[in-house]
Amino acid sequence: READRHVSQIDTFDGAQRVGTALLDGGVVLADLSHWGLLRFTGDDHLRFLNGLCTAKVTGASPGSSITACFVSKVGRSVDLTTLLVLPGQALALC
């Protein structure tokens, strides 16, 4: 039912308390992430390649999976946080 749905919009993220309050209210939190980049990974070994770059296990992920991970350098230092979306034949990274 339409009356059972609601969306909480948070205009600015000025602290975890506002975000936590919106989540606890049972609503949906929308955030403008248009300033983030989007990377597309393709090829027969794209999941194996990503597995070597990320802190999360990516190999074996099925299409439709969403994985939160951190890109790391060759010595294991954090480079960037990412959310991976696995699609048929490709993976998208929001970072």
Side-chain angles (χ1 to χ4, degrees):
R1 288 185 12 202
E2 194 66 33
D4 294 335
R5 298 182 198 151
H6 68 278
V7 175
S8 299
Q9 181 178 356
I10 299 174
D11 294 323
T12 58
F13 288 96
D14 59 357
Q17 183 176 4
R18 289 187 68 194
V19 175
T21 301
L23 290 172
L24 289 175
D25 286 343
V28 175
V29 177
L30 300 177
D32 179 9
L33 301 178
S34 61
H35 60 283
W36 287 28
L38 183 65
L39 303 173
R40 180 186 316 259
F41 296 88
T42 59
D44 293 337
D45 64 345
H46 68 281
L47 293 180
R48 186 176 60 80
F49 177 75
L50 279 169
N51 200 66
L53 293 176
C54 295
T55 56
K57 182 181 178 194
V58 180
T59 54
S62 58
S65 298
S66 174
I67 303 166
T68 301
C70 183
F71 285 129
V72 292
S73 69
K74 65 181 179 179
V75 294
R77 291 197 173 102
S78 296
V79 176
D80 199 0
L81 296 174
T82 186
T83 300
L84 299 170
L85 177 59
V86 180
L87 301 171
Q90 65 181 333
L92 302 176
L94 181 65
C95 53

